[in-house]
């Protein structure tokens, strides 16, 4: 394990963990990363921190409702449910659940009034509580029992919330240009102006989130899978994690990983596995068009005959093959995955567009919109979309292999090394240059 984007442990954990934990992490990680055993210890440590935070939030919920945690049996079921409602409101909407000022609590409860899923969330929490209480030896209204309920809520919530993610995805696909995984911006905002609770992010915010395709600047499109997984749709969370939507790409990549048994695979194997996958959201048989087959072969050719299945180009290929499940992979540094409040502080712009601003964008996009439902194969439509030849690899390939590959292609080679501070080794191949971010960066003239 190495810290993301080369951030030292202090930068990653300092805002969330105590100084002693940060110091231990720094002394253990150094420049070598964590071993498998140390990673397991880190996971257990994070789990403990999450549990402690959850308990702290529950205490805060009780205090906010004027309840005491040590009076087992002295409070009613209704009072426990009220405390659990406060806990969930903090979990979903409170940026700082430690702040229990009257104004902070009022803002939190106001957000529950505008959230369409709040009543369903409360009903689900009561269902979880019934399940836990029926299996527990603790008195139903005891604080110890409520702690067990909260632990079960955290365990189940991600799976339960997926229904909202699936509903959002269904709504977006209903608005898209058929089979492309792209929703014209005017349709996106049109849905919001027609009463849709979501789809209100400002165009500039969508761009920074990597959820906007501007291959045709006059006709921007919202990328369905990128939008679904952005921080703007992360509903619940904590100082250590957020609960966000996933479009389902990892489930499609997993069979390829199993069949390959390695970080790279022949193009023929990938095609065979992909075409065996069940139909996607369009329910059409999985047949890859010639354009995608050619692009897969070109990726393999670039890497000596094997396709790196965790590289950017293969992720881009998966996006075009599965536009409803796999996000478009932007180049490193091009995307700012920020919550709306953080983006607002940085830019000074409201992250949610006003009605007049949405209407302005709609008017700008109206010219040239193609609202026809094309009968072309969905994968062919996707393959016609913008394709970038930039590559990024999660792992640095053996240097000898890279040199041999370049020499066998008959290219001249110029290498300039420079120290880099990033711990994760990421390679960027744009057709004329290769960057190794780790121990060195290399400029390659082909």
């Amino acid at each position: 394990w190495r810290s993301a984007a080369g951030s030292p442990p202090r930068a990653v954990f300092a805002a969330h963990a105590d100084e002693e934990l940060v110091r231990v992490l720094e002394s253990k990680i150094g420049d070598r990363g964590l071993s498998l055993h140390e990673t397991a210890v880190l996971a257990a440590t994070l789990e403990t921190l999450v549990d402690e935070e959850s308990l702290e939030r529950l205490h805060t919920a009780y205090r906010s409702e004027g309840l005491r945690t040590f009076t087992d049996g002295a409070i009613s079921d209704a009072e426990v449910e009220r405390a659990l409602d406060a806990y969930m409101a903090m979990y979903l909407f409170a940026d700082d659940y430690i702040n229990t000022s009257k104004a902070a609590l009022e803002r939190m409860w106001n957000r529950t009034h505008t959230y369409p899923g709040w009543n369903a969330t409360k009903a689900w929490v009561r269902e979880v509580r019934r399940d836990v209480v029926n299996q527990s030896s603790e008195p139903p209204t005891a604080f110890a029992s409520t702690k067990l309920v909260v632990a079960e809520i955290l365990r189940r919530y991600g799976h339960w919330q997926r229904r909202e993610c699936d509903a959002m995805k269904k709504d977006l696909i209903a608005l898209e240009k058929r089979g492309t995984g792209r929703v014209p911006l005017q349709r996106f905002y049109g849905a919001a102006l027609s009463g849709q609770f979501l789809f209100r992010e400002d165009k500039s915010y969508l761009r920074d989130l990597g959820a906007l395709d501007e291959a045709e600047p006059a006709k921007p499109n919202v990328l369905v899978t990128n939008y679904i997984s952005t921080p703007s749709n992360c509903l619940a969370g904590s100082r250590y994690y957020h609960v966000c939507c996933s479009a389902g790409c990892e489930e499609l990549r997993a069979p390829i990983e199993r069949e390959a048994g390695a970080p790279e695979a022949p193009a023929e194997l990938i095609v065979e596995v992909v075409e065996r996958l069940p139909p996607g959201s369009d329910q059409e048989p999985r047949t890859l068009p010639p354009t995608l087959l050619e692009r897969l072969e070109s990726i393999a050719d670039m890497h000596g005959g094997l396709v790196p299945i965790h590289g950017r180009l293969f992720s881009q290929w998966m996006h075009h093959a599965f536009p409803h499940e796999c996000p478009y992979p932007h180049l490193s540094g091009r995307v700012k995955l920020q919550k709306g409040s953080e983006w607002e502080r940085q830019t000074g712009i409201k992250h949610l567009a006003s009605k007049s601003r949405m209407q302005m964008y709609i008017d700008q996009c109206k010219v040239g919109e193609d609202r026809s439902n094309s009968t072309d194969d969905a994968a062919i439509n996707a393959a016609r979309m913008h394709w970038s030849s930039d590559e990024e690899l999660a792992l640095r390939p053996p240097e000898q292999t890279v040199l041999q590959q370049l020499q066998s292609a008959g290219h001249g080679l110029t290498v300039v090394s420079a120290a880099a501070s990033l711990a994760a080794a990421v390679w960027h191949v744009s057709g004329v240059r290769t960057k190794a971010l780790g121990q060195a960066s290399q400029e390659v003239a082909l």
Side-chain angles (χ1 to χ4, degrees):
W1 179 86
R2 292 183 186 274
S3 53
S7 301
R10 182 169 299 280
V12 176
F13 290 98
H16 313 305
D18 60 34
E19 181 66 23
E20 180 63 17
L21 174 60
V22 174
R23 186 190 64 75
V24 170
L25 283 172
E26 287 186 327
S27 66
K28 286 290 184 183
I29 294 176
D31 355 346
R32 65 175 175 82
L34 293 178
S35 67
L36 181 60
H37 174 73
E38 289 167 337
T39 302
V41 172
L42 175 62
T45 302
L46 287 173
E47 183 177 11
T48 300
L49 291 171
V50 168
D51 289 343
E52 290 177 352
E53 179 195 50
S54 178
L55 181 58
E56 188 178 17
R57 187 187 294 114
L58 184 58
H59 277 286
T60 303
Y62 267 65
R63 286 195 302 271
S64 73
E65 294 300 315
L67 303 174
R68 295 181 178 181
T69 61
F70 55 84
T71 54
D72 291 352
I75 61 176
S76 66
D77 278 317
E79 287 173 317
V80 172
E81 289 178 352
R82 203 174 75 216
L84 285 172
D85 288 345
Y87 176 92
M88 286 305 295
M90 292 174 187
Y91 185 52
L92 296 177
F93 306 119
D95 294 329
D96 177 14
Y97 65 86
I98 302 300
N99 178 6
T100 55
S101 67
K102 183 177 179 181
L105 290 173
E106 187 176 346
R107 285 194 301 271
M108 180 187 76
W109 288 114
N110 284 342
R111 292 185 68 181
T112 68
H113 299 323
T114 59
Y115 171 46
W118 178 241
N119 287 334
T121 300
K122 291 200 300 182
W124 174 76
V125 166
R126 282 150 179 74
E127 179 184 327
V128 173
R129 180 170 181 257
R130 281 194 298 272
D131 291 345
V132 172
V133 166
N134 288 340
Q135 298 176 27
S136 173
S137 59
E138 299 285 350
T141 60
F143 187 72
S145 179
T146 308
K147 283 198 297 184
L148 295 175
V149 172
V150 164
E152 188 64 13
I153 286 172
L154 295 186
R155 192 182 72 82
R156 295 190 196 181
Y157 183 75
H159 179 75
W160 182 79
Q161 195 222 8
R162 183 159 187 166
R163 65 185 187 84
E164 292 189 2
C165 300
D166 291 342
M168 174 170 53
K169 180 177 177 179
K170 182 179 179 181
D171 289 343
L172 287 167
I173 290 175
L175 296 170
E176 72 165 357
K177 297 176 185 175
R178 182 180 178 271
T180 64
R182 285 156 170 77
V183 176
L185 189 61
Q186 61 268 41
R187 298 188 198 175
F188 182 81
Y189 285 141
L193 292 177
S194 298
Q196 169 62 258
F197 173 72
L198 302 169
F199 312 161
R200 298 184 296 144
E201 289 83 356
D202 189 82
K203 181 180 178 182
S204 298
Y205 183 42
L206 290 172
R207 181 184 297 117
D208 283 351
L209 289 172
L212 199 63
D213 177 2
E214 295 181 281
E216 296 182 80
K219 294 186 286 184
N221 292 277
V222 175
L223 294 159
V224 170
T225 47
N226 291 66
Y227 175 77
I228 287 172
S229 59
T230 59
S232 65
N233 292 313
C234 298
L235 191 57
S238 77
R239 290 174 291 183
Y240 306 102
Y241 69 92
H242 293 288
V243 180
C244 304
C245 294
S246 170
C249 195
E250 288 308 310
E251 289 88 336
L252 296 172
R253 197 189 296 263
I256 300 172
E257 294 172 336
R258 285 195 298 269
E259 291 282 342
E264 59 274 316
E268 299 79 13
L269 174 64
I270 292 173
V271 171
E272 179 185 339
V273 174
V274 166
E275 293 195 337
R276 287 204 311 262
L277 292 173
S281 52
D282 52 15
Q283 296 302 308
E284 295 179 358
R286 190 74 65 198
T287 303
L288 296 171
T291 308
L292 279 179
L293 296 176
E294 290 168 9
R295 283 178 174 161
L296 189 62
E297 290 289 350
S298 71
I299 298 171
D301 290 343
M302 179 185 292
H303 296 288
L306 296 175
V307 177
I309 56 181
H310 296 287
R312 181 191 170 276
L313 282 180
F314 183 62
S315 294
Q316 184 177 212
W317 186 88
M318 288 288 287
H319 166 71
H320 287 307
F322 302 98
H324 296 152
E325 291 80 21
C326 296
Y328 179 84
H330 295 279
L331 290 169
S332 298
R334 300 283 180 88
V335 170
K336 300 176 183 176
L337 294 178
Q338 297 175 307
K339 295 284 283 183
S341 56
E342 183 183 355
W343 187 82
E344 286 183 3
R345 286 193 297 270
Q346 188 175 94
T347 64
I349 304 171
K350 293 291 186 183
H351 79 284
L352 296 180
S354 64
K355 289 184 178 181
S356 60
R357 196 168 173 88
M358 284 190 279
Q359 188 60 56
M360 177 190 74
Y361 288 137
I362 290 173
D363 294 340
Q364 289 175 352
C365 295
K366 273 185 178 177
V367 178
E369 181 193 8
D370 177 12
R371 299 187 62 87
S372 66
N373 249 356
S374 171
T375 57
D376 290 346
D377 182 88
I380 294 177
N381 282 343
R384 289 174 179 166
M385 292 293 172
H386 177 66
W387 179 272
S388 163
S389 60
D390 293 317
E391 176 69 299
E392 289 182 347
L393 301 182
L395 296 173
R396 185 183 189 275
E399 186 174 351
Q400 184 66 20
T401 302
V402 176
L403 294 174
Q404 288 176 340
Q405 190 176 326
L406 292 170
Q407 290 167 350
S408 65
H411 297 302
L413 177 65
T414 303
V415 179
V416 179
S417 296
S421 61
L422 299 183
V426 178
W427 275 61
H428 173 223
V429 183
S430 65
V432 294
R433 68 184 185 276
T434 304
K435 286 185 183 175
L437 303 182
Q439 297 177 348
S441 69
Q442 298 183 333
E443 189 75 14
V444 179
L446 304 184

